[in-house]
Amino acid sequence: MPAIETYDAARPFLDRAGPWLLHAEAEHSLVLGVAARLAAAPAAPGPAPLFATVERDGAVVGVALRTPPHKLVLSQMPPGAVPLVAEAAERFEALPAVLGPLDVALAFGQEWARRRPVTPRLGMRQRIFEVTRLVPPARPAEGRARLAGPDDLDLVAGWIGAFHDEAGGTPADPRGWAEQHTSAGDVLLWDDGTPAAMAARLARSPNGARVGAVYTPPARRGRGYASAVVAALTRRLLDGGLRFCSLYTDLANPTSNGIYRRLGYVPVADVADVDFGPV
């Protein structure tokens, strides 16, 4: 039977779970990136994060992580572990959603509904992609890539806000996000005289980086800007010594999935949100 172990901080969690997570690093890039960030800097004031490993016969066979107010993130795990994870998550008054492999997320949703007055609903289904060798766009868009700087803060804040509005994700602090990621050199713009598209490095894992926040204003779509900026950011990261880049896509958006496949990204796993609404 599986058992669960919880951890008071990110570092001991990574010490225990890291080797297992690294066996499928791109698939687990979200957990690895969040845990590494929290290991390097204390969590913000508020409810403590949840770090947990699922154990069987002395080995890690799954993980769970949550940093409030965000959703709970689960890896693949034995079915019998889901109630144990739900019990550990009862430290939180509420959960907005759970993200994980479809079977695990659905099972957790049903279990959580037995413990809280909520209705689980299947939300966005996503595909995790990985690239180790970039295929440049066959017909590059006009313009060039450049890092976003202090003069671009208002633009980046507006675009990340619009990105979250379209994606339906957890609301972000647009200005804070722009300041943090721009100062870290994470945000790349495609500029053809004026900024036309954006992509950002969202997190690092030991051998890779997760690409996201890919946004083109509606009036400038359909001209190859998204392909150009993602290709430029991917090239920058791979040339910087990383073995791979990963990203998440909405399975309901064939345009973005096609863009990434043409750049050499290949699917590695599918995951889904289960959202929790009122009964």
Side-chain angles (χ1 to χ4, degrees):
M1 288 293 293
I4 193 165
E5 297 286 340
T6 58
Y7 304 83
D8 293 333
R11 177 47 55 195
F13 167 74
L14 280 174
D15 290 342
R16 176 60 178 157
W20 183 81
L21 292 167
L22 288 172
H23 281 303
E25 188 173 348
E27 180 178 345
H28 299 137
S29 60
L30 178 58
V31 169
L32 283 163
V34 171
R37 175 175 56 81
L38 293 175
L50 171 65
F51 305 101
T53 55
V54 176
E55 312 264 342
R56 186 170 60 189
D57 299 327
V60 175
V61 292
V63 301
L65 181 149
R66 189 201 178 203
T67 55
H70 304 293
K71 67 187 74 173
L72 175 69
V73 180
L74 304 179
S75 71
Q76 193 59 261
M77 62 183 62
V82 170
L84 301 177
V85 174
E87 183 177 350
E90 285 201 303
R91 69 175 66 181
F92 304 115
E93 291 186 9
L95 293 174
V98 60
L99 169 67
L102 180 62
D103 58 335
V104 175
L106 289 173
F108 183 91
Q110 294 170 356
E111 179 66 31
W112 194 244
R114 285 193 281 269
R115 297 167 183 263
R116 293 287 195 274
V118 298
T119 298
R121 297 182 178 88
L122 183 61
M124 184 185 297
R125 299 186 67 172
Q126 300 177 73
R127 179 157 290 161
I128 304 171
F129 283 83
E130 174 187 22
V131 66
T132 57
R133 181 175 296 179
L134 177 70
V135 178
R139 300 174 64 183
E142 294 184 2
R144 64 180 183 87
R146 66 172 178 85
L147 285 174
D151 292 342
D152 299 303
L153 283 177
D154 289 342
L155 175 87
V156 172
W159 282 5
I160 194 62
F163 171 84
H164 277 279
D165 288 343
E166 289 189 11
T170 302
D173 169 13
R175 186 73 184 189
W177 189 96
E179 292 174 351
Q180 175 190 344
H181 286 277
T182 298
S183 64
D186 291 338
V187 181
L188 201 66
L189 300 176
W190 191 263
D191 194 317
D192 67 349
T194 59
M198 170 181 80
R201 186 194 74 172
L202 298 182
R204 276 286 309 271
S205 59
N207 302 296
R210 184 162 54 90
V211 171
V214 180
Y215 183 76
T216 307
R220 310 209 71 189
R221 293 174 185 172
R223 306 180 195 179
Y225 294 128
S227 296
V229 73
V230 171
L233 180 57
T234 301
R235 172 56 64 203
R236 182 184 184 89
L237 294 169
L238 294 178
D239 286 351
L242 296 182
R243 295 182 190 173
F244 72 91
C245 294
S246 64
L247 50 78
Y248 284 65
T249 69
D250 179 356
L251 279 173
N253 186 338
T255 300
S256 63
N257 283 271
I259 286 172
Y260 302 133
R261 285 180 180 273
R262 288 190 291 273
L263 294 177
Y265 280 84
V266 296
V268 296
D270 287 359
V271 293
D273 284 327
V274 171
D275 303 318
F276 299 121
V279 173

